[in-house]
């Protein structure tokens, strides 16, 4: 997922030009904000799944309710007060970051996890499974 986000960040301008046309080039900064949102999204999803897996679905529900409140309130403020699509994109990023943070803090009560180890362990897993991954990709 991370390589795709990096690719989209590096080539945001040409991607918007190719898929949207010149009339959408003003949306490149918003697209870049949503790339940042994409960075936090897997952490939010995994913490939610983790909370359900450790038998704490009530905390996952609480996390989702807090995120919905932030999203609804923030989007209303972005549209009615600031009248800005940039503000809406920022609300989405904040919403997802808060969800990931709440999930991480609560999940850490059940399973000792360190944020710094997420990428390290993920990379080690990919390297350990590279033959299997290659086999599936070449079928």
């Amino acid at each position: 997922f991370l390589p795709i986000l990096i690719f989209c960040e590096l080539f945001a301008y040409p991607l918007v030009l190719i898929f949207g046309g010149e009339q959408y080039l003003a949306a490149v900064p918003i697209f870049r904000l949503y790339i940042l949102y994409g960075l936090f999204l897997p952490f939010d999803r995994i913490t939610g799944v983790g909370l359900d897996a450790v038998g704490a679905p009530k905390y996952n529900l609480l996390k989702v309710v807090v995120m919905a409140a932030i999203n609804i309130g923030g989007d209303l403020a972005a549209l009615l007060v600031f009248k800005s699509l940039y503000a809406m994109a920022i609300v989405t990023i904040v919403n997802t970051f808060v969800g990931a943070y709440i999930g991480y803090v609560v999940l850490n009560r059940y399973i000792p996890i360190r944020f710094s180890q997420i990428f390290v362990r993920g990379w080690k897993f990919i390297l350990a499974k590279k033959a299997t991954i290659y086999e599936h990709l070449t079928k």
Side-chain angles (χ1 to χ4, degrees), residues 26-36 84-89 93:
V28 170
I30 295 171
F31 178 59
R32 286 195 162 125
L33 286 173
Y34 277 102
I35 291 169
L36 185 58
S84 169
L85 291 176
Y86 295 108
M88 278 189 85
I93 293 167

Side-chain angles (χ1 to χ4, degrees), residues 88-106:
M88 278 189 85
I90 290 169
V91 166
T92 302
I93 293 167
V94 169
N95 171 42
T96 307
F97 177 78
V98 168
Y101 180 76
I102 290 171
Y104 174 78
V105 169
V106 175

Side-chain angles (χ1 to χ4, degrees), residues 63-78:
K63 176 181 84 96
V64 171
V65 169
V66 168
M67 289 176 67
I70 290 170
N71 199 33
I72 293 167
D75 284 349
L76 286 173

